[in-house]
Amino acid sequence: AVVSTQSTGDGHDDSIWSVSWARSEKDNSENIVTGGVDDLVKSWNWRDDFLDYKATLKGHQLGVVSVTINAAGTVAASSSLDSTIKLWDLDSSKQIKSIDAGPVDCWTVAFSPDGQYIGSGSHSGKINLFGIESGKLEQSLDTRGKFIMSIAYSPDGHYIACGGIDGIVCIFDLATGKLLHTLEGHAMPIRSLTFSPDSQLLTTCSDDTSIKIYDVQHANLIGTLSGHGSYVLCVDFCPDNTHFATSSSDRKVKVWDAGMRRCVHTFTEHSDQVWGVAYNENGSKLVSVSDDKNIVIYECPI
């Protein structure tokens, strides 16, 4: 069941590359943030089953490749091909700060669970951790690998994982900064990865069209899932700790059961590749964004 589609008026007038959804601790509002090829970040409120345009956050000089919202639902971060990471106050829609991430050096951005750091991958195979307060680079974790396309923090704050253009996944211990596991699961770039809410599982997706589920502690491959007909571009775990959603170049959004390791639902609303997918706070809804410039919100089928 599709609840809402936004494609006109205040929306993006080019491909949308990234989306994030979080509830604000401040006023309980449901904030959705999108970023796209048009250099813009847009913020939206989900209210009474309607996607309400809130603001356009201007400042990036080139396409916005990644957006994310902190756990408190109050601050958004965006990274762009202009090599900056920008922090935005979602209440006032004002820019809080701009962080220079070095030459063409940021792709995916992710907030640490405590909201103190923003992590970003880099071309040199390093995960760079910037202080939210300082706006400065505070720690670098070296995979000694290739360009990092995707990163994710474990919700318990113990780990950070990244996926490379070479299909390799690295998991670091955040307390020690040590590389714990190197997983050579995929043959092609890993566009996205996500931990389960209990931090026990890591789900990765790749241009090789497959999705893999790992047991984080032992670094065991639990399963390989197939079903998408092209690159799998994004994965997000459901707060129910059982399901996760993926989006793909095949224009589809799929919902999977991690325990049963199978697809339980396929949405076919988009007419072009689907770059981003995200759950709301309680896992009752999903949002996806696409090259077709549409933002689609779904009732979760489970």
Side-chain angles (χ1 to χ4, degrees):
V2 177
V3 186
S4 173
T5 303
Q6 162 60 259
S7 61
T8 50
D10 300 309
H12 293 271
D13 50 22
D14 209 331
S15 298
I16 310 175
W17 274 344
S18 184
V19 63
S20 187
W21 189 339
R23 181 192 291 273
S24 168
E25 279 177 4
K26 210 184 262 180
D27 57 8
N28 261 346
S29 62
E30 298 263 1
N31 292 320
I32 292 176
V33 172
T34 53
V37 180
D38 56 11
D39 314 348
L40 301 175
V41 176
K42 288 180 182 274
S43 75
W44 312 79
N45 280 130
W46 177 252
R47 214 184 271 132
D48 306 323
D49 279 356
F50 189 74
L51 190 62
D52 218 4
Y53 168 77
K54 191 174 175 192
T56 297
L57 312 176
K58 293 180 183 161
H60 283 299
Q61 304 301 309
L62 290 168
V64 178
V65 288
S66 176
V67 294
T68 187
I69 304 174
N70 66 350
T74 53
V75 176
S78 56
S79 70
S80 159
L81 296 172
D82 66 12
S83 302
T84 64
I85 297 169
K86 294 188 185 294
L87 301 176
W88 312 88
D89 181 317
L90 288 177
D91 208 23
S92 66
S93 304
K94 298 262 191 309
Q95 183 179 307
I96 301 167
K97 60 174 50 123
S98 183
I99 299 167
D100 180 7
V104 207
D105 238 24
C106 54
W107 201 252
T108 313
V109 283
F111 277 102
S112 60
D114 63 7
Q116 300 299 303
Y117 298 91
I118 187 101
S120 172
S122 74
H123 272 64
S124 59
K126 290 186 172 73
I127 301 174
N128 293 323
L129 306 180
F130 298 91
I132 297 292
E133 286 301 310
S134 69
K136 301 218 163 22
L137 178 64
E138 304 210 351
Q139 196 181 356
S140 238
L141 305 169
D142 195 355
T143 65
R144 297 189 175 78
K146 301 269 181 26
F147 173 29
I148 293 170
M149 297 199 77
S150 50
I151 69 164
Y153 279 92
S154 62
D156 64 10
H158 291 168
Y159 309 107
I160 191 165
C162 66
I165 202 164
D166 52 4
I168 292 174
V169 177
C170 294
I171 302 175
F172 287 89
D173 181 314
L174 275 169
T176 63
K178 285 200 166 66
L179 177 60
L180 290 180
H181 306 300
T182 304
L183 311 168
E184 301 185 7
H186 290 285
M188 291 170 76
I190 297 165
R191 300 269 177 182
S192 176
L193 36 68
T194 182
F195 285 89
S196 57
D198 66 4
S199 302
Q200 300 295 305
L201 301 177
L202 178 68
T203 306
T204 63
C205 65
S206 167
D207 287 6
D208 66 14
T209 77
S210 76
I211 298 141
K212 291 185 185 284
I213 306 172
Y214 296 94
D215 159 15
V216 174
Q217 208 177 343
H218 306 105
N220 292 337
L221 178 64
I222 294 173
T224 302
L225 287 68
S226 54
H228 280 297
S230 186
Y231 299 174
V232 190
L233 301 173
C234 187
V235 59
D236 193 38
F237 227 105
C238 182
D240 71 2
N241 209 56
T242 302
H243 297 92
F244 62 87
T246 55
S247 66
S248 166
S249 295
D250 68 6
R251 310 175 182 184
K252 296 183 174 75
V253 170
K254 285 180 177 285
V255 178
W256 308 78
D257 183 308
M260 297 169 72
R261 301 202 282 283
R262 65 182 182 94
C263 178
V264 290
H265 199 84
T266 303
F267 292 109
T268 56
E269 299 309 310
H270 287 291
S271 61
D272 209 334
Q273 50 189 6
V274 190
W275 281 103
V277 64
Y279 279 96
N280 66 347
E281 185 203 34
N282 65 10
S284 62
K285 302 212 168 40
L286 264 176
V287 60
S288 62
V289 295
S290 163
D291 274 345
D292 67 12
K293 308 169 198 169
N294 285 348
I295 302 166
V296 181
I297 300 200
Y298 315 85
E299 287 278 6
C300 280
I302 322 300

